[in-house]
Amino acid sequence: NVTVQPSPQVRFTATDSVLCKGECTGFTNLTSGSLSSSSWTFQGGNPSSSSAQNPASICYANAGNYAVTLTVTNGNCSSSASINNYVQVNAATVPVVTVNGNILTSSTAQSYQWYSVQNGLIAGANQVTYSVTQPGDYYVVITDANGCTSQSANTNMAAPVAAFSLGTPGQSCDT
């Protein structure tokens, strides 16, 4: 008697397949039946491979689209499935801050939060512009349409210079 075992039908899913640069995700092996081994390969991921049935924390440091491959064995039969561009890793563009007088303006994003290097988060400063009231260094953290965040370079705002006039040279006034 010869028993023919069917090859496993490999299926898997990710906890989240759309990530921001630096985030991690987990994977679930949805292959049915009794499996003797699982072998994962994560293009662009860290770690880049795993033998866990359901790897929990695969991290992606760089933006891009990455393939995932799962190979399973159910005794003598092995089968693989690979999905190209399965994990999409996004990175927010670094915001550019422009200065006009005491007004700081960020490049366009979904949301904004302004910070003082000296004092931390500035409560209520969550618009595209921020009016500086104290000298110091400032930056903005933006969130883009994908939910990814990025921080601008620091912008130094010097103490305001008072403008005044003493009148026309050579003239005086009686007091």
Side-chain angles (χ1 to χ4, degrees):
N1 258 355
V2 174
T3 304
V4 177
Q5 279 187 316
S7 292
Q9 298 299 307
V10 180
R11 292 182 34 233
F12 61 86
T13 188
T15 306
D16 190 357
S17 63
V18 180
L19 306 172
C20 294
K21 182 175 153 181
E23 290 183 338
C24 304
T25 190
F27 292 85
T28 302
N29 183 343
L30 300 174
T31 307
S32 60
S34 177
L35 303 176
S36 55
S37 71
S38 298
S39 177
W40 297 84
T41 303
F42 307 104
Q43 178 192 26
N46 184 20
S48 60
S49 63
S50 175
S51 59
Q53 170 113 4
N54 300 307
S57 188
I58 308 302
C59 303
Y60 292 84
N62 298 306
N65 294 312
Y66 299 104
V68 175
T69 301
L70 172 59
T71 302
V72 298
T73 303
N74 68 353
N76 295 325
C77 300
S78 290
S79 190
S80 292
S82 187
I83 303 175
N84 291 325
N85 302 318
Y86 185 65
V87 177
Q88 176 186 337
V89 182
N90 299 301
T93 302
V94 175
V96 175
V97 174
T98 55
V99 179
N100 184 4
N102 71 325
I103 307 288
L104 301 176
T105 303
S106 172
S107 48
T108 304
Q110 289 292 109
S111 67
Y112 312 86
Q113 180 59 61
W114 292 91
Y115 293 81
S116 160
V117 171
Q118 291 76 17
N119 302 312
L121 183 141
I122 303 168
N126 53 13
Q127 300 298 316
V128 67
T129 61
Y130 175 67
S131 297
V132 174
T133 59
Q134 299 290 323
D137 296 308
Y138 295 86
Y139 65 93
V140 66
V141 174
I142 59 98
T143 303
D144 70 9
N146 294 312
C148 302
T149 60
S150 185
Q151 178 178 321
S152 71
N154 293 347
T155 302
N156 180 268
M157 299 297 285
V161 177
F164 60 91
S165 173
L166 297 175
T168 306
Q171 291 186 355
S172 64
C173 299
D174 291 335
T175 51

